[in-house]
Amino acid sequence: MSSPSKRREMDLMKLMMSDYKVEMINDGMQEFYVEFHGPKDSPYHGGVWRIRVELPDAYPYKSPSIGFVNKIYHPNVDEMSGSVCLDVINQTWSPMFDLVNVFEVFLPQLLLYPNPSDPLNGEAAALMMRDRNTYEQRVKEYCEKYAKPEDAGAAPAEKSSDEELSEDEYPSSDDEEVAGKADP
Amino acid sequence: MLPRKRTVEGEAVDGGDDKIDFGSSSSCDRESVLKKLRIEGSVSSTSTEKTTTSGGEVKISGSGADLGSSSNGKDSGERSLTEMAFDDGNPHDIDEDLHSRQLAVYGRETMRRLFASNVLVSGMQGLGAEIAKNLILAGVKSVTLHDEGSVDLWDLSSNFVFTENDIGKNRALASVQKLQELNNAVVVTALSTQLTKEQLSDFQAVVFTDISLDKAIEFNDFCHNHQPPIAFIKTEVRGLFGNVFCDFGPEFTVVDVDGEEPHTGIIASISNDNPAMVSCVDDERLEFQDGDLVVFSEIKGMTELNDGKPRKIKNTRPYSFILEEDTANFGPYERGGIVTQVKQPKILNFKPLREALKDPGDFLLSDFSKFDRPPLLHLAFIALDKFVAGHGRLPVAGSEEDANKLISIARDLNEALGDGKLEDINPKLLQHFAFGARAVLNPMAAMFGGIVGQEVVKACSGKFHPLLQFFYFDSVESLPTEPLEASDFKPLNTRYDAQISVFGAKLQKKLEDAKVFVVGSGALGCEFLKNLALMGVSCGSDGKLTVTDDDVIEKSNLSRQFLFRDWNIGQAKSTVAASSAASINPRLHIEALQNRVGPETENVFDDTFWENLTLVINALDNVNARLYVDQRCLYFQKPLLESGTLGAKCNTQMVIPHLTENYGASRDPPEKQAPMCTVHSFPHNIDHCLTWARSEFEGLLEKTPAEVNAYLSNPSEYTSAMRNAGDAQARDNLERVIECLNRERCETFQDCITWARLKFEDYFSNRVKQLIFTFPEDAATSTGAPFWSAPKRFPRPLQFSDADPSHLHFIMAASILRAETFGIPVPDWAQNPKKLAEAVNKVMVPDFQPKKDVKIVTDEKATSLSTASIDDAAVINELIMKLEHCRKNLTPGYRMKPIQFEKDDDTNYHMDVIAALANMRARNYSIPEVDKLKAKFIAGRIIPAIATSTAMATGLVCLELYKVLNGGHKIEDYRNTYATLALPFFSMSEPVQPKVIKHQDMSWTVWDRWIIKDNPTLRELLKWLADKGLNAYSISCGSCLLYNSMFPRHKERMDKKVVDLAREVAKVEIPAYRGHLDVVVACEDDEDNDIDIPLISIYFR
């Protein structure tokens, strides 16, 4: 495989070519946000989340760190921190995987088939096991309350634009998000 | 066999094991990561860690002991709480501060046996000194140094204790004082008179490094037939050839053949069958082998298997095995169960030397490309003994006459072998053997000193598998490539004469003029500096050795970092090591720096520094620093000699420009971490409990007080940052701060006890009650399967009792550290169990109420959002108001004291709190508890380390150093090694070539770099690449993107100079003396295949 820094570039490239909205912080490749839509046929459909992706130094040998920025009600996602307990992006990660796999396969699967046997959000897991309908209802309420398209961009973008103002003096500093939207 | 790579310790620049993020975040990189195993039969690093602590499980009968911690002696009348809480039987005999890294390899029982052993080392040239050093560091009871001869100039090539002033003195007498300094707990004596066999009765093990075969046979017969037998080792190094012979007696018991912790598995099912099929959960691969014995516990249903009887297994697979037992009539398996391997002692029948010489059996191989070498070397060494017997001297270097005599003796011996004779006695090899026979070379002495030192430890303790019985080794590839004349070998009357007699004076000059960079001066670094000083590397007028390490000397270093003494504790490692090395050889030109090597010190280790180097030797303890040095060596095209150790294992890797792949070309998978949810709520082994305990420790005692201080030092900035963040994390932070300053603020020590008692209730009772309220024992998943199935373990809450020493110990340690964070003095009575119990009983503990919103799941009203979902922003505002109110009641300048985890201070209560937290949690989940020492190994991520494997690794590397400095060697001459002294096992092999990439009519490797001049713009750079048929889609500098074809805004950058982009976008600061900038380009060919092109250097001035 090519050098790790090139893997970052290639993976990021592939992610953008697959029409994902990627928001970078000052053109750095270590850390960025990706917009993620709840899969069809799941109670998460219609929800939009901002996912924080961090590529460690040892990427792709080491798994990317993935976190939900706006809230989600899910047995395997910590409600407080947004961290995800999913084997393929933790223990069973392989350098053969890339970011497209994460957003195309791993996260949609996680939302379609939560695993309440290994819960991180115990309450959600217990509810899902005992009363699926109520559980799905609550998932949808969370989506409406926290995962509207503007939730995925608006609030945290405010924060990052602060950073951009202070650090990026590049003249045409229009948001990378805009660039992302314009992707082919 | 392919090489196995393992990286490992070496104590240095990064101070790795102290700075590990133990939390659940993915940045948890353990520094001692093993490099990729390119071979099956892998040993995971976790299991290695476990293995090394097996001492913890050995209980000494009748121990009423304490942990040897000096802190708990305050109440001399009563046993202290620490003693009572960890009744692990260490009756003050092991200095754990000194030996912690070695204890992690051997365990207490082995160490105790070592402390009772008396060892004789006979022959105090270089090899004898190395062996004695390793044994004295390990801590045997006594070492007797024997030598009848006197120090001569030739000894200075390999013996680090002699100086030129010692010439003419008896070798044993001249060694004794300097070797004694290494460890005052060992009795070191000298014996300068002739040895009689009766004297051998005083020893448990005897080692001869310079003895005739006749004498050896006589002594060995005595040792073999002695009651009890005396372990006998004969070893010698002759030039680039060496051997070891071991005889530990007719019936020697190996207590622990590999030092690995018994493997375990969590059972998923067992069939009622003959034989029975056992399958395990697919959580972790099983590491059992066919023929292993196992015991079962905790099985529900088929309880007959819980009888503790060892049973044999076969057909072992990753997640199942066949049990040789008829279970047809046993109860049907229901659930649960743990299977544990039973380690069996092994009896070995050694042959005495007299027999083994004629019938050597299987030789231990080290290099498969030399599979036919050992029988030849066996013959050669016997021939050499005959030569010496006949001539009263060793062959002279460069003397064809002597060589021919030796060859003819060998030929006669071979003829006499009849059917067993060798087809080819390789006269050329024997000539090399004869030429070098008189020289003891330092790298060979270091290597064999490590091997033999380990064999002595095995003989004294029964730990690890002994060498059966002969080992032969040569490194003729280390000889210069060009032919040498007899005159090249002539002694020059210098301390290097022995080395010159093997390699010639020209190579000696190259060694002396080399400019070497040793990165790290820990265990590996100390050994390297000694080796380099003895070899004369950087000892010439043009030579220069730079050593750097940012660490200071600690007590735990002294058991293997042998250039340091206890009076050096607290001093800079590199400085002390450099001055010790210079006292070994005063001609050494050495400079000691205290800089960590990394991007932040590129002003110190600048381009000129790197360009001037001849080669680099890594002596590091962490992968990241290794990768960094690798990148630098790649960039500046410098050879890198890499090595590492882990316990009894070591590896070496040669990185030679354009000849081999670089260090970073292959990597180990990152270390497995326990899944977050497992650590959070479902631990099933003590590692999970310790991971949790460390993260709680950090949260309670470091992060929260730091958060409090962040708020107090700038309240307005802090609160507005929290308001801006407005998320759950901010809310959590504020809640923790408010707890510390309001509800749970401590003013007296009694407050701290209250806090600790309530923490106990929260952690070990309430949280468990909540969890089993949410998931009752009979809970089922959506598919109807039981929720609490393996590997999950059903927890039970603890009921606090002041009669339970572990409970009380937790209260004591936690309240003491809590008091420290608030700056509250700790009263003496805190250590007194009775008074502490009284104090803790005063604490009012509210009854537990399960959280209601979890319960009302089927209730229609429950669909309204729970309290957790109320707007974070509103809650945050409310919290900030409360906080500001609290602050008004504080004295100005009020601060807390965050506590940073420090594993190596036994008196600071840190490990007490962590071990107590982990053990109480283990008790919740019925997981076996561990003692404080074992907890420290796991939670402190202590890298097991011993002197023997370190010495061997550096010896192996220095054998390669001869090749690198001479130059002109082909890749076939170089060797990488993976070895483990525990088995023992050696695997030496040729390094891997760098990957060649071809594109059109061009080809390149990782060692190449492309250069583009005349300060191009981005557009020009893209065109330059396009002309080569390469379509660049992404260009980056550091971790910053300069150009990506997907971003329309980057198109605007086209006509900017690349160097300006780097300055503006990547904020790169280019030093004034540098005229170029390096960028990484990702590109495709015309068929859209990714092409991995070299780094591009852009020259702009």
Side-chain angles (χ1 to χ4, degrees):
Chain A
M1 218 338 111
S2 32
S3 68
S5 68
K6 266 184 230 178
R7 254 299 291 268
R8 283 201 182 106
E9 307 197 333
M10 283 166 55
D11 283 14
L12 204 59
M13 190 76 178
K14 280 197 242 167
L15 197 63
M16 290 187 289
M17 305 231 307
S18 312
D19 289 352
Y20 282 93
K21 199 195 265 183
V22 178
E23 182 192 333
M24 300 183 71
I25 305 167
N26 298 329
D27 281 334
M29 287 183 294
Q30 295 270 40
E31 212 184 306
F32 44 87
Y33 296 100
V34 179
E35 200 177 281
F36 174 70
H37 294 257
K40 281 193 197 101
D41 309 322
S42 81
Y44 298 95
H45 180 60
V48 186
W49 287 270
R50 210 161 115 92
I51 309 288
R52 188 174 179 279
V53 180
E54 207 182 313
L55 302 182
D57 284 339
Y59 183 83
Y61 301 102
K62 214 165 162 181
S63 61
S65 131
I66 304 286
F68 282 80
V69 177
N70 43 333
K71 252 186 215 182
I72 183 167
Y73 190 74
H74 189 289
N76 309 107
V77 182
D78 187 54
E79 198 181 328
M80 187 77 87
S81 64
S83 43
V84 181
C85 203
L86 177 60
D87 56 354
V88 281
I89 53 169
N90 292 301
Q91 306 85 46
T92 57
W93 171 263
S94 146
M96 304 293 285
F97 298 148
D98 64 16
L99 292 174
V100 174
N101 294 134
V102 171
F103 287 95
E104 211 96 290
V105 186
F106 303 158
L107 287 181
Q109 292 285 317
L110 181 74
L111 266 51
L112 281 164
Y113 311 105
N115 173 14
S117 312
D118 293 311
L120 205 53
N121 180 343
E123 186 199 325
L127 187 58
M128 177 179 165
M129 277 159 40
R130 281 181 218 158
D131 183 352
R132 189 83 192 212
N133 288 337
T134 317
Y135 160 78
E136 295 199 350
Q137 215 171 322
R138 183 155 312 172
V139 166
K140 285 176 189 156
E141 281 165 18
Y142 265 62
C143 285
E144 275 163 42
K145 195 156 167 42
Y146 301 111
K148 292 186 290 295
E150 57 269 32
D151 294 315
E158 225 174 283
K159 191 171 81 175
S160 78
S161 66
D162 283 352
E163 289 165 22
E164 290 221 341
L165 279 175
S166 58
E167 287 171 38
D168 194 350
E169 286 121 6
Y170 191 66
S172 67
S173 142
D174 38 345
D175 221 349
E176 288 297 351
E177 211 186 333
V178 180
K181 270 175 197 155
D183 286 346
Chain B
M1 193 181 280
L2 289 166
R4 309 197 216 194
K5 269 210 217 175
R6 309 210 158 168
T7 322
V8 262
E9 102 83 74
E11 241 39 19
V13 178
D14 205 298
D17 42 2
D18 296 322
K19 300 176 178 81
I20 280 142
D21 176 4
F22 210 90
S24 49
S25 83
S26 63
S27 65
C28 178
D29 52 343
R30 217 173 112 210
E31 303 293 1
S32 74
V33 195
L34 301 176
K35 257 205 128 186
K36 185 192 295 159
L37 308 178
R38 297 180 183 168
I39 184 172
E40 72 292 339
S42 68
V43 187
S44 80
S45 57
T46 351
S47 71
T48 322
E49 184 162 51
K50 280 184 207 145
T51 71
T52 54
T53 53
S54 55
E57 81 202 337
V58 184
K59 289 265 176 194
I60 298 300
S61 53
S63 72
D66 68 56
L67 210 86
S69 159
S70 53
S71 67
N72 44 33
K74 290 192 181 170
D75 254 334
S76 53
E78 288 172 71
R79 291 180 63 206
S80 84
L81 267 171
T82 311
E83 295 167 36
M84 290 157 69
F86 302 106
D87 201 353
D88 53 4
N90 176 28
H92 269 295
D93 60 351
I94 300 177
D95 185 338
E96 290 185 358
D97 282 342
L98 176 64
H99 286 296
S100 60
R101 303 315 190 260
Q102 175 170 296
L103 261 172
V105 182
Y106 292 147
R108 288 202 180 96
E109 182 57 24
T110 298
M111 296 279 287
R112 270 194 202 98
R113 291 186 194 201
L114 274 183
F115 291 164
S117 301
N118 302 297
V119 184
L120 171 77
V121 179
S122 170
M124 288 308 295
Q125 287 162 300
L127 177 53
E130 287 283 341
I131 296 168
K133 174 202 71 186
N134 294 338
L135 293 173
I136 293 166
L137 290 171
V140 292
K141 185 176 180 192
S142 77
V143 175
T144 303
L145 313 170
H146 169 253
D147 202 306
E148 292 157 47
S150 48
V151 179
D152 68 29
L153 198 56
W154 279 48
D155 292 334
L156 298 182
S157 279
S158 60
N159 188 316
F160 63 91
V161 298
F162 298 153
T163 65
E164 281 165 51
N165 296 332
D166 292 321
I167 291 172
K169 292 182 193 161
N170 172 276
R171 287 198 190 100
L173 293 170
S175 309
V176 68
Q177 191 210 332
K178 280 197 195 153
L179 287 171
Q180 179 69 72
E181 280 177 10
L182 297 173
N183 187 349
N184 282 324
V186 179
V187 180
V188 184
T189 50
L191 191 62
S192 56
T193 53
Q194 200 179 357
L195 203 60
T196 62
K197 62 185 176 197
E198 288 71 27
Q199 285 172 282
L200 303 181
S201 303
D202 298 338
F203 304 101
Q204 279 70 50
V206 294
V207 181
F208 295 91
T209 70
D210 188 18
I211 188 175
S212 69
L213 268 180
D214 282 349
K215 201 78 186 160
I217 288 169
E218 182 198 339
F219 284 169
N220 175 248
D221 282 345
F222 178 82
C223 292
H224 192 85
N225 299 318
H226 192 267
Q227 282 307 324
I230 301 161
F232 175 94
I233 301 174
K234 176 185 178 307
T235 177
E236 56 196 316
V237 289
R238 303 277 174 211
L240 289 163
F241 297 76
N243 74 26
V244 184
F245 168 80
C246 293
D247 171 13
F248 295 175
E251 264 191 21
F252 180 79
T253 306
V254 187
V255 184
D256 178 357
V257 292
D258 55 8
E260 307 284 327
E261 185 95 329
H263 299 302
T264 61
I266 298 171
I267 294 168
S269 74
I270 308 173
S271 68
N272 288 88
D273 213 343
N274 183 20
M277 163 89 170
V278 181
S279 54
C280 289
V281 299
D282 57 4
D283 212 44
E284 277 167 45
R285 291 172 73 96
L286 298 175
E287 310 246 14
F288 299 137
Q289 287 182 349
D290 289 5
D292 278 357
L293 291 176
V294 298
V295 291
F296 296 89
S297 56
E298 300 183 15
I299 297 175
K300 297 269 159 41
M302 197 183 283
T303 50
E304 293 87 344
L305 286 179
N306 292 336
D307 57 4
K309 191 181 104 188
R311 292 175 167 86
K312 204 174 236 177
I313 60 169
K314 59 182 184 185
N315 290 20
T316 50
R317 292 173 189 280
Y319 304 109
S320 71
F321 56 86
I322 299 292
L323 180 69
E324 292 187 354
E325 175 75 59
D326 184 357
T327 61
N329 297 318
F330 287 8
Y333 173 83
E334 283 167 24
R335 65 194 159 85
I338 288 176
V339 53
T340 310
Q341 178 196 25
V342 182
K343 296 199 76 168
Q344 294 290 303
K346 186 173 172 186
I347 310 278
L348 299 176
N349 308 112
F350 286 88
K351 279 186 283 196
L353 180 60
R354 182 187 294 280
E355 286 169 37
L357 275 173
K358 293 187 205 104
D359 180 14
D362 288 335
F363 297 102
L364 176 67
L365 261 187
S366 61
D367 187 336
F368 280 79
S369 70
K370 298 181 181 177
F371 69 94
D372 54 353
R373 200 60 64 86
L376 177 60
L377 297 184
H378 185 66
L379 194 70
F381 274 98
I382 298 173
L384 183 67
D385 182 72
K386 281 200 185 307
F387 181 100
V388 175
H391 295 79
R393 60 168 176 88
L394 287 154
V396 171
S399 159
E400 306 244 349
E401 193 191 336
D402 281 359
N404 289 336
K405 279 185 198 154
L406 182 81
I407 293 165
S408 106
I409 297 171
R411 190 167 285 132
D412 294 347
L413 283 170
N414 190 40
E415 292 305 323
L417 286 174
D419 289 348
K421 79 172 190 183
L422 306 172
E423 279 180 25
D424 174 20
I425 60 161
N426 196 343
K428 187 141 190 282
L429 188 80
L430 291 183
Q431 191 190 52
H432 286 313
F433 179 59
F435 281 7
R438 202 190 138 191
V440 177
L441 298 172
N442 157 264
M444 292 292 288
M447 174 186 173
F448 277 79
I451 297 172
V452 173
Q454 194 67 55
E455 291 306 314
V456 174
V457 171
K458 292 174 188 176
C460 295
S461 67
K463 181 97 174 180
F464 299 154
H465 199 292
L467 196 165
L468 277 180
Q469 287 186 278
F470 281 108
F471 174 64
Y472 287 98
F473 172 83
D474 74 81
S475 182
V476 281
E477 302 79 15
S478 296
L479 288 171
T481 43
E482 62 279 359
L484 295 172
E485 309 285 321
S487 60
D488 291 327
F489 303 120
K490 265 219 308 274
L492 300 175
N493 202 30
T494 72
R495 58 180 298 147
Y496 314 119
D497 279 358
Q499 190 164 261
I500 290 171
S501 81
V502 176
F503 298 98
K506 284 195 206 83
L507 178 54
Q508 183 62 44
K509 178 91 169 65
K510 290 180 187 171
L511 295 177
E512 288 173 40
D513 289 341
K515 289 161 195 74
V516 176
F517 186 23
V518 175
V519 193
S521 80
L524 286 166
C526 282
E527 290 283 336
F528 273 123
L529 292 184
K530 172 228 358 165
N531 296 355
L532 299 176
L534 289 169
M535 292 162 75
V537 174
S538 307
C539 293
S541 48
D542 292 336
K544 168 87 186 277
L545 197 159
T546 309
V547 59
T548 191
D549 198 317
D550 67 340
D551 212 357
V552 295
I553 296 162
E554 289 170 37
K555 190 172 177 189
S556 67
N557 302 145
L558 301 181
S559 74
R560 65 200 184 289
Q561 302 181 14
F562 81 106
L563 297 178
F564 308 145
R565 304 289 173 266
D566 42 15
W567 58 84
N568 298 129
I569 290 172
Q571 296 170 357
K573 281 186 175 181
S574 60
T575 316
V576 176
S579 71
S580 299
S583 70
I584 293 172
N585 184 348
R587 290 177 193 81
L588 182 65
H589 293 141
I590 185 165
E591 182 184 8
L593 301 172
Q594 280 84 46
N595 300 91
R596 176 184 298 234
V597 174
E600 69 280 5
T601 53
E602 286 180 10
N603 58 331
V604 181
F605 305 110
D606 57 16
D607 295 10
T608 320
F609 174 82
W610 282 95
E611 279 155 8
N612 283 334
L613 292 174
T614 318
L615 62 88
V616 181
I617 298 177
N618 265 353
L620 288 159
D621 64 350
N622 67 91
V623 171
N624 284 343
R626 284 183 167 97
L627 288 169
Y628 174 78
V629 175
D630 178 51
Q631 283 305 311
R632 299 299 275 171
C633 288
L634 202 56
Y635 189 84
F636 292 100
Q637 317 257 311
K638 299 297 173 188
L640 170 63
L641 311 191
E642 159 60 35
S643 56
T645 74
L646 180 70
K649 306 181 182 88
C650 80
N651 82 309
T652 65
Q653 181 182 357
M654 302 307 118
V655 178
I656 313 295
H658 298 283
L659 217 54
T660 72
E661 66 174 14
N662 64 317
Y663 171 80
S666 66
R667 293 204 205 186
D668 279 338
E671 198 205 346
K672 288 231 152 56
Q673 298 164 42
M676 220 184 307
C677 40
T678 302
V679 172
H680 229 247
S681 313
F682 311 105
H684 50 82
N685 62 39
I686 195 71
D687 293 26
H688 299 152
C689 300
L690 281 160
T691 306
W692 172 84
R694 255 212 71 177
S695 110
E696 290 302 316
F697 180 99
E698 227 172 75
L700 293 176
L701 299 162
E702 187 185 349
K703 285 189 186 153
T704 303
E707 200 72 31
V708 168
N709 291 351
Y711 163 67
L712 291 175
S713 15
N714 197 339
S716 60
E717 191 177 291
Y718 183 86
T719 51
S720 79
M722 290 296 134
R723 264 200 199 97
N724 277 345
D727 57 6
Q729 203 76 55
R731 179 175 151 181
D732 184 47
N733 283 343
L734 284 167
E735 269 164 3
R736 283 189 294 133
V737 172
I738 221 162
E739 257 175 16
C740 261
L741 292 179
N742 187 19
R743 242 194 337 278
E744 295 178 359
R745 190 170 142 216
C746 297
E747 283 170 335
T748 64
F749 191 70
Q750 178 67 40
D751 290 346
C752 300
I753 290 177
T754 304
W755 175 83
R757 175 65 186 89
L758 293 176
K759 273 288 163 215
F760 182 98
E761 200 66 13
D762 177 42
Y763 281 142
F764 308 118
S765 175
N766 295 354
R767 288 195 194 186
V768 174
K769 285 176 183 161
Q770 178 69 51
L771 188 65
I772 56 186
F773 178 82
T774 314
F775 301 104
E777 196 164 7
D778 58 359
T781 64
S782 327
T783 59
F787 178 82
W788 292 101
S789 56
K792 286 207 276 289
R793 299 173 72 84
F794 186 72
R796 298 185 192 282
L798 298 185
Q799 173 71 48
F800 183 82
S801 157
D802 61 24
D804 187 323
S806 333
H807 292 191
L808 219 46
H809 184 250
F810 168 80
I811 300 292
M812 175 192 73
S815 40
I816 288 175
L817 290 190
R818 178 73 170 176
E820 194 180 324
T821 60
F822 279 99
I824 299 168
V826 176
D828 279 350
W829 58 263
Q831 312 245 1
N832 179 315
K834 249 189 245 147
K835 290 185 179 146
L836 193 67
E838 280 165 27
V840 83
N841 286 333
K842 287 186 210 150
V843 178
M844 293 289 293
V845 181
D847 282 342
F848 170 71
Q849 294 292 328
K851 270 188 223 145
K852 285 290 187 282
D853 50 325
V854 189
K855 197 176 81 179
I856 37 173
V857 283
T858 46
D859 188 347
E860 203 49 31
K861 288 169 216 150
T863 57
S864 66
L865 288 176
S866 61
T867 47
S869 336
I870 294 171
D871 255 347
D872 286 328
V875 179
I876 285 172
N877 268 327
E878 196 182 315
L879 287 171
I880 288 175
M881 300 245 295
K882 261 199 211 162
L883 203 49
E884 293 289 292
H885 184 74
C886 283
R887 188 162 59 89
K888 298 209 174 76
N889 300 329
L890 295 174
T891 50
Y894 182 90
R895 293 287 184 278
M896 286 183 75
K897 179 179 169 282
I899 297 176
Q900 254 196 347
F901 176 54
E902 164 53 54
K903 61 184 182 294
D904 272 330
D905 177 357
D906 254 349
T907 63
N908 64 9
Y909 293 102
H910 296 188
M911 271 316 303
D912 296 82
V913 166
I914 285 172
L917 279 169
N919 279 339
M920 294 305 98
R921 186 164 173 87
R923 210 173 276 188
N924 279 143
Y925 288 88
S926 332
I927 292 166
E929 295 169 36
V930 287
D931 64 34
K932 190 172 139 185
L933 182 70
K934 190 162 179 182
K936 172 166 144 176
F937 290 155
I938 304 173
R941 308 199 151 209
I942 287 186
I943 303 171
I946 45 179
T948 48
S949 49
T950 312
M952 177 173 67
T954 66
L956 286 164
V957 167
C958 289
L959 287 172
E960 302 300 311
L961 184 68
Y962 291 122
K963 306 173 190 173
V964 181
L965 286 178
N966 188 72
H969 283 273
K970 297 201 187 76
I971 192 167
E972 302 90 87
D973 290 343
Y974 287 98
R975 288 291 180 279
N976 290 346
T977 303
Y978 166 73
T980 170
L981 289 174
L983 299 177
F985 170 84
F986 296 88
S987 169
M988 309 187 77
S989 58
E990 228 179 274
V992 177
Q993 291 180 355
K995 189 178 152 203
V996 178
I997 296 157
K998 295 199 167 93
H999 170 70
Q1000 295 178 347
D1001 55 351
M1002 296 178 283
S1003 72
W1004 61 84
T1005 71
V1006 69
W1007 292 100
D1008 289 295
R1009 211 177 336 152
W1010 284 353
I1011 287 171
I1012 169 166
K1013 299 208 162 163
D1014 302 328
N1015 198 13
T1017 61
L1018 183 56
R1019 191 185 303 282
E1020 283 160 353
L1021 174 61
L1022 292 173
K1023 169 143 191 328
W1024 187 79
L1025 288 162
D1027 291 345
K1028 295 181 187 301
L1030 296 164
N1031 309 313
Y1033 60 81
S1034 175
I1035 298 174
S1036 60
C1037 184
S1039 68
C1040 205
L1041 211 50
L1042 301 184
Y1043 168 75
N1044 186 310
S1045 59
M1046 298 290 291
F1047 289 134
R1049 104 164 188 216
H1050 287 181
K1051 297 264 187 304
E1052 298 163 17
R1053 300 176 177 177
M1054 277 299 180
D1055 292 308
K1056 293 215 167 223
K1057 299 279 188 196
V1058 179
V1059 64
D1060 295 331
L1061 275 179
R1063 284 182 176 133
E1064 287 162 19
V1065 180
K1067 313 267 185 290
V1068 177
E1069 282 172 35
I1070 302 162
Y1073 60 82
R1074 196 180 293 154
H1076 72 274
L1077 163 87
D1078 301 304
V1079 295
V1080 173
V1081 179
C1083 51
E1084 295 171 340
D1085 64 12
D1086 292 333
E1087 279 90 47
D1088 294 346
N1089 302 311
D1090 260 292
I1091 304 282
D1092 194 2
I1093 66 164
L1095 194 66
I1096 298 185
S1097 291
I1098 292 172
Y1099 281 80
F1100 56 89
R1101 28 181 182 231

